[in-house]
Amino acid sequence: MENIYTEKIKIGMSSCMYGARVRYNSKGWEMLGYLHRERSNYLWTPVCPEVMSGMGVPRSPIRLVGGNGEDFWIGNTKVKNREGRDVTSMMGKGALACYETLERAEVDAYIFMEGSPSCGVYRTTLKNKRLGKPPGVFGALLLNRGYFLIPAQDLQSPVKWWDWRRRLTAFVWLKRQKVTEVKDLYEIWHILKFLCQELDEKSARELGHRIGSFKKDIGEKVVAEVKDEILEILRKPSDVKRVKQWLWKNYIHLKKSKGISIEDVCPPEALRNMTHIAEEMIHVEIESRDKGLIFGSSPINYKPSR
Ligand code: SF4
């Protein structure tokens, strides 16, 4: 099993974060500029559920009444605009139209605007008072359908983007793997276990023990369920402290076992800026890739065929 992924990864994105001025107040931001040349490694599908609902630009801002986006899909939440008009049905249609677009485009991930009652998903960077009740209507739909979800604000931080990018690559690589037998799970786990331990140590240790105890004939259904559990771990939000600690742990492992040595990799307690940390991680990534080794923090190499 090769730890290389060569297809261009397809990513959906909140249109207002892609630069389209589609917010209720006709604003929009060009967040992909933060990725510089790396943006061309991906295929982008921008969508706006509120525009697709037929509410237009500019429009009255909307809010969820009675619950969050999860509650919306079981009929327990309404959507109203500032004037109190009920736009629940329009919102549902707009979200489903965008979902169908992403499915047609065969997208695996979505970059969302944090805090939006439509596209929002996780609470990560914004202050609580601006967050509303995540997830939003469209965010909840994508969360439940297993999309890999990235807050657009994290594109501004080289470390946070590196964190999402290495996991997205592993996520899409795993999704495409044909996993039918226990031996496939062993191989996958050998490649992804350190990354899974970093993201959710308790679940990963339990999963590791379970995979180790499997007999040959557990059946395709169980194998597929374990694959889904690994995918779920890979899309969990992380934090910079944890990323730094595991970078050091995995780097020391490579240094001791494979003789890799990179001068500018620092221990987690060393003070340095985000750009330096991102450069350290990219150095270890490149060095291990060139030597054909698995770097536990970023085990899948992405080499798009042009
Ligand atoms: S619905 Fe989503 S894409 Fe449209 S303006 Fe709001 S956050 Fe942006």
Side-chain angles (χ1 to χ4, degrees):
M1 196 173 277
E2 265 208 310
N3 63 331
I4 292 175
Y5 191 72
T6 54
E7 302 276 310
K8 270 201 181 194
I9 293 178
K10 296 170 180 170
I11 306 179
M13 187 164 186
S14 295
S15 291
C16 59
M17 298 283 102
Y18 189 79
R21 296 173 55 180
V22 292
R23 289 217 72 211
Y24 72 94
N25 54 6
S26 305
K27 285 191 176 170
W29 292 271
E30 226 283 61
M31 300 300 281
L32 288 187
Y34 291 105
L35 301 189
H36 307 288
R37 284 196 336 216
E38 212 187 330
R39 70 183 284 173
S40 63
N41 284 351
Y42 305 93
L43 279 177
W44 302 96
T45 302
V47 292
C48 174
E50 288 181 28
V51 166
M52 287 306 284
S53 75
M55 284 186 240
V57 183
R59 59 189 170 272
S60 177
I62 57 159
R63 67 192 167 90
L64 304 184
V65 182
N68 63 14
E70 303 271 6
D71 305 312
F72 174 92
W73 293 107
I74 50 171
N76 289 342
T77 291
K78 296 227 168 285
V79 185
K80 292 199 172 169
N81 69 11
R82 189 178 277 159
E83 288 72 44
R85 182 181 160 210
D86 189 327
V87 290
T88 307
S89 163
M90 289 174 90
M91 190 61 236
K93 287 177 185 159
L96 288 173
C98 290
Y99 174 70
E100 281 167 18
T101 303
L102 297 186
E103 287 287 289
R104 242 185 336 270
E106 297 176 334
V107 153
D108 293 298
Y110 187 74
I111 299 184
F112 63 90
M113 183 187 167
E114 214 171 11
S116 157
S118 307
C119 290
V121 184
Y122 307 119
R123 288 175 192 272
T124 55
T125 52
L126 291 178
K127 297 216 165 62
N128 276 340
K129 62 183 163 101
R130 288 182 57 200
L131 278 170
K133 303 171 194 161
V137 172
F138 189 49
L141 187 61
L142 300 184
L143 197 56
N144 290 335
R145 304 287 165 106
Y147 276 64
F148 190 95
L149 299 157
I150 304 170
Q153 284 76 1
D154 286 0
L155 270 52
Q156 295 176 69
S157 156
V159 174
K160 287 182 179 172
W161 168 245
W162 182 88
D163 169 42
W164 288 113
R165 191 258 293 153
R166 49 125 189 199
R167 289 195 276 131
L168 170 61
T169 312
F171 180 90
V172 177
W173 171 86
L174 175 56
K175 251 182 109 173
R176 302 285 182 276
Q177 293 299 318
K178 199 164 166 275
V179 187
T180 52
E181 299 174 35
V182 173
K183 78 168 180 37
D184 303 327
L185 282 180
Y186 290 156
E187 286 184 41
I188 279 165
W189 194 245
H190 172 67
I191 294 172
L192 297 180
K193 67 183 171 195
F194 291 119
L195 179 53
C196 289
Q197 283 168 13
E198 172 187 332
L199 297 166
D200 182 346
E201 192 153 8
K202 193 165 166 254
S203 304
R205 295 242 177 251
E206 189 278 320
L207 197 53
H209 285 135
R210 203 159 9 116
I211 292 171
S213 71
F214 281 149
K215 303 280 179 292
K216 261 189 177 172
D217 53 352
I218 54 167
E220 281 191 28
K221 187 169 172 279
V222 177
V223 171
E225 283 167 2
V226 173
K227 178 181 171 180
D228 285 345
E229 283 185 59
I230 303 174
L231 287 169
E232 197 53 42
I233 292 176
L234 290 174
R235 70 178 188 145
K236 286 188 173 180
S238 186
D239 61 65
V240 173
K241 191 175 164 210
R242 201 180 318 161
V243 171
K244 278 200 301 184
Q245 278 170 346
W246 279 80
L247 160 71
W248 182 247
K249 209 168 173 171
N250 288 321
Y251 166 65
I252 292 297
H253 170 73
L254 279 178
K255 194 174 172 177
K256 282 187 181 156
S257 61
K258 308 289 177 190
I260 272 196
S261 182
I262 298 161
E263 254 179 39
D264 56 0
V265 178
C266 308
E269 63 278 8
L271 289 177
R272 71 269 205 212
N273 64 31
M274 292 288 190
T275 309
H276 192 282
I277 300 167
E279 282 167 2
E280 290 170 44
M281 297 187 290
I282 290 167
H283 280 176
V284 186
E285 233 173 17
I286 293 172
E287 186 78 10
S288 41
R289 184 190 64 202
D290 290 349
K291 295 202 160 118
L293 304 170
I294 294 171
F295 170 33
S297 296
S298 180
I300 309 300
N301 296 311
Y302 182 32
K303 279 196 205 154
S305 46
R306 308 264 170 198

